[in-house]
Amino acid sequence: MEAQEEQPPREADTEPVVTSGIPEVVPRALRGDPQSLSDVDAFNLLLEMKLKRRRERPDLPRTVTELVAEDGSRVYVVGTAHFSDDSKKDVVKTIREVQPDVVVVELCQYRVSMLKMDERTLLREAREVSLEKLQQAVRQNGVMSGLMQMLLLKVSAHITEQLGMAPGGEFREAFKEASKVPFCKFHLGDRPIPVTFKRAIAALSFWQKVKLAWGLCFLSDPISKDDVERCKQKDLLEQMMAEMIGEFPDLHRTIVSERDVYLTYMLRQAARRLELPRASDAEPRKCVPSVVVGVVGMGHVPGIEKNWTTDLNIQEIMTVPPPSVSGRVARLALKATFLGLLGYSLYWMGRRAASLVLALPAAQHCLQRAAGAWPPK
């Protein structure tokens, strides 16, 4: 992270830089060139402080999985439950133990606002599923994807209502802790949510969409905090995933498996060797392995481990396939049905209103006078 000119950087000034692209991993001691010796010394001093805090054998929670890159960089993936106080504690402990160079979270630019909202505001926002939110989702993602997003927001609101807890607390804790670590960057590592929803909708048949929407609309099972904490156990989570795969395998592929690939790619991009600043151009370049903390849902951890050493191509999972013929027909049929029902409702309401108006005594009197004034044939 860049230091202010003619002033050594301080820990309190190291606000994490939020990025969603490929990270720039070369820390710099000065905004301009050439670098002065005092600035390099200040950088090295802060780096030494950071390395002293970094434990060689960190005491990590059981929810942390350690991965090693080819260049020796280390990635500590914290598997979390999104509605969990224990997950927040796990994230804080991991960041303090390893003093990372980069923190990567399972968020995209469309959900980054939750990082700086307070818990009360988030709780209110998560509970309210309004017409305005529906219109925004439809404008952003299209009709079908927008409706599906609102149904999933309804599920989140149901969990929020049951637990009295706003989602994403572990990401906010990660953002706060990253700001306390010198030269620590903060990256958004998830695929943009409009791409995920559009690919998910395109992967489902018409009847699968109806079945999924029906299940989400009538979700009302009570959820306890113990249920959420049990989700941090891999055996229970894998059982839940197996049930989901059996019913909607294409949905699992787009919402879970493809995002596993994307998250793995972003973690690998963050885990690059760091080039240290030099006092002069004559000094040889020196690089050191980086330390990265990833904060993701527990359901993504097995996929990240599986993909860690494989060649990844994220271009394939960033494209939105065109709608199928059956999908276009179903969409037209849905619009025609909606317009037909709207037209019939307006017609029925008009007839009903006319009947009520004509039944009024004043209206009857006016009609009689009009009939009397009409000349006979």
Side-chain angles (χ1 to χ4, degrees), residues 23-55:
E24 177 189 351
V25 297
V26 182
R28 302 179 186 275
L30 275 179
R31 295 183 186 275
D33 286 325
Q35 295 177 341
S36 69
L37 183 62
S38 60
D39 290 309
V40 175
D41 287 342
F43 175 88
N44 290 332
L45 181 62
L46 272 178
L47 182 62
E48 186 179 350
M49 282 174 47
K50 177 177 178 175
L51 295 178
K52 282 183 178 178
R53 292 180 186 174
R54 181 180 291 170
R55 299 180 183 273

Coordinates of all heavy atoms in Angstrom, one line a residue, residues 23-55:
P23 N -5.2 -8.4 -8.7 CA -4.5 -7.5 -7.7 C -3.1 -7.0 -8.2 O -2.4 -7.8 -8.9 CB -4.3 -8.4 -6.5 CG -4.3 -9.8 -7.0 CD -5.2 -9.8 -8.2
E24 N -2.8 -5.8 -7.9 CA -1.5 -5.3 -8.1 C -0.7 -5.6 -6.8 O -1.0 -5.1 -5.8 CB -1.5 -3.8 -8.3 CG -0.1 -3.2 -8.4 CD -0.1 -1.7 -8.4 OE1 -1.2 -1.1 -8.5 OE2 1.0 -1.1 -8.3
V25 N 0.2 -6.5 -6.9 CA 0.9 -7.1 -5.7 C 2.2 -6.5 -5.4 O 2.9 -7.0 -4.5 CB 1.0 -8.6 -5.8 CG1 -0.3 -9.3 -5.9 CG2 1.8 -9.0 -7.1
V26 N 2.6 -5.4 -6.1 CA 3.9 -4.8 -5.8 C 3.7 -3.6 -4.9 O 3.2 -2.6 -5.3 CB 4.6 -4.4 -7.1 CG1 6.0 -3.8 -6.8 CG2 4.7 -5.5 -8.1
P27 N 4.1 -3.7 -3.6 CA 3.9 -2.6 -2.7 C 5.0 -1.5 -3.1 O 6.1 -1.8 -3.5 CB 4.2 -3.2 -1.3 CG 5.1 -4.4 -1.6 CD 4.7 -4.9 -3.0
R28 N 4.6 -0.3 -2.9 CA 5.5 0.8 -3.2 C 5.6 1.7 -2.0 O 4.7 1.9 -1.2 CB 4.9 1.7 -4.4 CG 4.7 0.8 -5.7 CD 4.1 1.7 -6.8 NE 3.8 0.9 -7.9 CZ 4.6 0.6 -8.9 NH1 5.8 0.9 -8.8 NH2 4.2 -0.2 -9.9
A29 N 6.8 2.3 -1.9 CA 7.1 3.1 -0.7 C 6.8 4.6 -1.0 O 6.6 5.4 -0.1 CB 8.5 3.0 -0.3
L30 N 6.7 5.0 -2.3 CA 6.5 6.4 -2.6 C 5.5 6.5 -3.8 O 5.3 5.6 -4.6 CB 7.8 7.0 -3.1 CG 8.8 7.6 -2.1 CD1 10.0 8.1 -2.8 CD2 8.1 8.6 -1.3
R31 N 4.8 7.6 -3.8 CA 3.9 7.9 -4.9 C 4.6 8.2 -6.2 O 4.2 8.0 -7.3 CB 2.9 9.0 -4.6 CG 2.0 8.6 -3.4 CD 1.0 9.8 -3.2 NE 0.2 9.5 -2.0 CZ -1.0 8.8 -2.0 NH1 -1.4 8.3 -3.1 NH2 -1.6 8.6 -0.9
G32 N 5.8 8.9 -6.0 CA 6.5 9.3 -7.2 C 7.9 8.7 -7.2 O 8.3 7.9 -6.4
D33 N 8.7 9.0 -8.2 CA 10.0 8.5 -8.4 C 11.0 9.7 -8.3 O 10.6 10.8 -8.7 CB 10.2 7.7 -9.7 CG 9.5 6.4 -9.7 OD1 9.5 5.7 -8.6 OD2 8.9 6.0 -10.7
P34 N 12.2 9.5 -7.9 CA 12.8 8.3 -7.4 C 12.4 8.0 -5.9 O 12.0 9.0 -5.2 CB 14.3 8.5 -7.5 CG 14.4 9.9 -7.3 CD 13.2 10.6 -7.9
Q35 N 12.5 6.8 -5.4 CA 12.3 6.5 -4.0 C 13.4 6.9 -3.2 O 14.6 6.7 -3.5 CB 12.0 5.0 -3.9 CG 10.7 4.5 -4.6 CD 10.6 3.0 -4.5 OE1 11.5 2.3 -4.1 NE2 9.4 2.6 -4.7
S36 N 13.1 7.5 -2.0 CA 14.2 7.9 -1.1 C 14.5 6.8 -0.1 O 13.7 6.0 0.1 CB 13.8 9.2 -0.4 OG 12.8 8.9 0.5
L37 N 15.7 6.8 0.4 CA 16.1 5.8 1.4 C 15.3 5.8 2.6 O 14.9 4.8 3.1 CB 17.6 6.0 1.7 CG 18.2 5.0 2.7 CD1 18.2 3.6 2.0 CD2 19.7 5.4 3.0
S38 N 14.9 7.0 3.1 CA 14.1 7.0 4.3 C 12.7 6.4 4.1 O 12.2 5.7 5.0 CB 13.9 8.5 4.7 OG 13.2 9.2 3.7
D39 N 12.1 6.5 2.9 CA 10.8 5.9 2.7 C 11.0 4.4 2.6 O 10.1 3.6 3.1 CB 10.2 6.4 1.4 CG 9.8 7.8 1.5 OD1 9.1 8.2 2.4 OD2 10.2 8.6 0.6
V40 N 12.0 3.9 2.0 CA 12.3 2.4 1.9 C 12.5 1.9 3.4 O 12.0 0.8 3.7 CB 13.5 2.1 1.0 CG1 13.8 0.6 1.1 CG2 13.1 2.5 -0.4
D41 N 13.3 2.6 4.1 CA 13.5 2.2 5.5 C 12.2 2.2 6.3 O 12.0 1.2 7.1 CB 14.5 3.2 6.2 CG 15.9 3.0 5.7 OD1 16.2 1.9 5.1 OD2 16.7 3.9 5.9
A42 N 11.3 3.1 6.1 CA 10.1 3.1 6.8 C 9.2 1.9 6.4 O 8.6 1.3 7.2 CB 9.3 4.4 6.5
F43 N 9.2 1.7 5.1 CA 8.5 0.5 4.6 C 9.0 -0.8 5.3 O 8.3 -1.6 5.7 CB 8.6 0.4 3.1 CG 7.9 -0.9 2.5 CD1 6.6 -0.9 2.2 CD2 8.7 -2.0 2.3 CE1 6.0 -2.0 1.7 CE2 8.1 -3.2 1.8 CZ 6.8 -3.2 1.5
N44 N 10.4 -0.9 5.2 CA 11.0 -2.1 5.8 C 10.7 -2.3 7.3 O 10.5 -3.4 7.8 CB 12.5 -2.1 5.5 CG 12.8 -2.3 4.1 OD1 12.0 -3.0 3.4 ND2 13.9 -1.8 3.6
L45 N 10.6 -1.1 8.0 CA 10.4 -1.2 9.4 C 8.9 -1.7 9.7 O 8.7 -2.5 10.5 CB 10.5 0.2 10.0 CG 10.3 0.4 11.5 CD1 11.3 -0.5 12.3 CD2 10.4 1.8 12.0
L46 N 8.0 -1.2 8.9 CA 6.6 -1.6 9.1 C 6.5 -3.1 8.7 O 5.7 -3.9 9.3 CB 5.7 -0.8 8.2 CG 5.1 0.5 8.9 CD1 4.2 1.2 8.0 CD2 4.3 0.1 10.2
L47 N 7.2 -3.5 7.6 CA 7.1 -4.9 7.2 C 7.7 -5.8 8.2 O 7.2 -6.9 8.5 CB 7.9 -5.0 5.9 CG 7.9 -6.4 5.2 CD1 6.5 -6.8 4.9 CD2 8.8 -6.5 4.0
E48 N 8.8 -5.3 8.9 CA 9.4 -6.1 10.0 C 8.4 -6.3 11.1 O 8.3 -7.4 11.7 CB 10.7 -5.5 10.4 CG 11.5 -6.3 11.4 CD 12.7 -5.6 11.9 OE1 13.1 -4.6 11.2 OE2 13.4 -6.1 12.8
M49 N 7.7 -5.2 11.5 CA 6.7 -5.3 12.5 C 5.6 -6.3 12.1 O 5.2 -7.1 13.0 CB 6.0 -3.9 12.7 CG 6.9 -2.9 13.5 SD 6.1 -1.3 13.5 CE 4.4 -1.7 13.9
K50 N 5.2 -6.2 10.9 CA 4.2 -7.1 10.4 C 4.6 -8.6 10.5 O 3.9 -9.5 11.0 CB 3.8 -6.8 9.0 CG 2.7 -7.7 8.4 CD 2.4 -7.2 7.0 CE 1.4 -8.1 6.3 NZ 1.0 -7.5 5.0
L51 N 5.9 -8.9 10.1 CA 6.4 -10.2 10.1 C 6.6 -10.7 11.5 O 6.5 -11.9 11.8 CB 7.7 -10.3 9.3 CG 7.6 -10.0 7.8 CD1 9.0 -10.0 7.2 CD2 6.7 -11.0 7.1
K52 N 6.9 -9.8 12.4 CA 7.0 -10.3 13.8 C 5.6 -10.7 14.4 O 5.6 -11.6 15.2 CB 7.6 -9.1 14.7 CG 9.1 -8.9 14.5 CD 9.6 -7.8 15.4 CE 11.1 -7.7 15.3 NZ 11.7 -6.6 16.2
R53 N 4.6 -10.0 14.0 CA 3.3 -10.4 14.4 C 2.8 -11.7 13.8 O 2.0 -12.4 14.4 CB 2.3 -9.3 14.1 CG 2.4 -8.0 14.9 CD 1.4 -7.0 14.4 NE 1.6 -5.7 15.0 CZ 0.8 -4.6 14.7 NH1 -0.1 -4.7 13.7 NH2 1.1 -3.4 15.3
R54 N 3.3 -11.9 12.6 CA 2.9 -13.1 11.8 C 3.5 -14.3 12.5 O 4.7 -14.5 12.6 CB 3.3 -13.0 10.4 CG 2.9 -14.2 9.5 CD 3.4 -14.0 8.1 NE 2.6 -12.9 7.4 CZ 3.0 -12.4 6.2 NH1 4.1 -12.9 5.6 NH2 2.3 -11.5 5.7
R55 N 2.6 -15.2 12.9 CA 3.1 -16.4 13.6 C 3.6 -17.5 12.6 O 2.9 -17.7 11.6 CB 2.0 -17.0 14.5 CG 1.6 -16.0 15.6 CD 0.5 -16.7 16.4 NE 0.0 -15.7 17.4 CZ 0.5 -15.5 18.6 NH1 1.6 -16.3 19.0 NH2 0.0 -14.7 19.5

